[in-house]
Amino acid sequence: MNQAVVRAAGIEDADGIAAVHVTSWRETYRGMVPDAFLENLSVARRAAQWRSSLSDPSNVYHRAWVAELNGQIVGFANYGFPQEEDEEFDGELYAIYLLKSAQGRGIGKALFTEAAKGLLALGSSSMLVWVLKENPARGFYEHLGGVYLREKPIEIGGARLMEAAYGWRELMRFRRG
Ligand SMILES: CC(C)(COP(=O)(O)OP(=O)(O)OC[C@H]1O[C@@H](n2cnc3c(N)ncnc32)[C@H](O)[C@@H]1OP(=O)(O)O)[C@@H](O)C(=O)NCCC(=O)NCCS
């Protein structure tokens, strides 16, 4: 099996990240999120958003890493300061998505570790992540030492869902990961 390459994302990766973003949403959230919302996702729209955020190096809200297999982007993670001010956590993993075909071979853990190290480099010492309550990815966060924090409602495509927060109070342990 070929080894994945994990590297910092640049503006030229916007299309590849957007394609993974949309495909992974459809693969992951079918049955959790309304079909109409998933069908309406657009790679072109996502790519434009990614291009804009990746073109601004001072934008700490969109630091991103990508994973490539055979020269094709198969996953990404992005992170920065918490989107909602938090009393306890000073970093957030905004998203981590892999194509289904690339899952289960260590790439998610590699991207997660780079996000944790990236946050340390930004001066953060802790991290939280929000995940849909029904998403089996909760097991991934728990496996990596995430502590369940709380839940809150979220509206996606007209459906009222719940999401759960997991937190890592000390990121230093990922420094050598
Ligand atoms: C969640 C996700 C990022 C994990 O990435 P991955 O590459 O499949 O996971 P890895 O192969 O790196 O697994 C790392 C470790 O976590 C464990 N693990 C992975 N997924 C798990 C799960 N759902 N439940 C419990 N443990 C899990 C693995 O067994 C592995 O353990 P090990 O290090 O002891 O061998 C990936 O499956 C994914 O993109 N899922 C769909 C999108 C999604 O839900 N993203 C999260 C949105 S909040």
Side-chain angles (χ1 to χ4, degrees):
M1 224 186 277
N2 288 339
Q3 191 74 21
V5 173
V6 174
R7 59 167 177 79
I11 186 169
E12 68 284 357
D13 298 315
D15 290 330
I17 295 174
V20 170
H21 207 150
V22 168
T23 302
S24 183
W25 263 66
R26 289 179 178 149
E27 290 176 341
T28 305
Y29 297 131
R30 186 81 61 194
M32 292 184 222
V33 164
D35 283 348
F37 181 86
L38 295 176
E39 294 320 317
N40 193 40
L41 293 172
S42 151
V43 175
R45 277 200 308 269
R46 282 276 175 197
Q49 288 162 359
W50 276 102
R51 210 166 285 119
S52 146
S53 57
L54 288 167
S55 62
D56 178 0
S58 68
N59 185 355
V60 287
Y61 286 97
H62 284 92
R63 294 283 166 93
W65 284 73
V66 292
E68 278 182 335
L69 269 177
N70 304 319
Q72 194 204 336
I73 293 177
V74 295
F76 71 92
N78 70 326
Y79 59 89
F81 298 134
Q83 300 186 94
E84 290 172 14
E85 201 167 318
D86 192 277
E87 283 183 6
E88 198 182 356
F89 292 88
D90 58 5
E92 181 171 342
L93 178 64
Y94 302 140
I96 179 165
Y97 287 99
L98 267 65
L99 297 180
K100 214 176 188 60
S101 56
Q103 293 173 16
R105 49 195 285 177
I107 300 175
K109 190 175 176 179
L111 284 168
F112 178 97
T113 304
E114 289 304 338
K117 290 198 280 194
L119 281 169
L120 284 166
L122 286 176
S124 298
S125 60
S126 59
M127 176 171 86
L128 59 69
V129 64
W130 287 97
V131 52
L132 277 188
K133 199 177 166 185
E134 291 179 53
N135 189 343
R138 288 177 68 160
F140 171 72
Y141 298 130
E142 286 164 6
H143 189 76
L144 295 182
V147 175
Y148 170 82
L149 302 174
R150 59 185 177 271
E151 288 177 11
K152 71 174 181 186
I154 180 173
E155 194 255 291
I156 303 181
R160 203 167 159 74
L161 306 171
M162 292 300 288
E163 56 181 357
Y166 283 85
W168 291 259
R169 292 194 165 87
E170 188 44 77
L171 289 179
M172 284 301 270
R173 71 185 146 119
F174 294 106
R175 198 169 52 166
R176 284 185 228 291

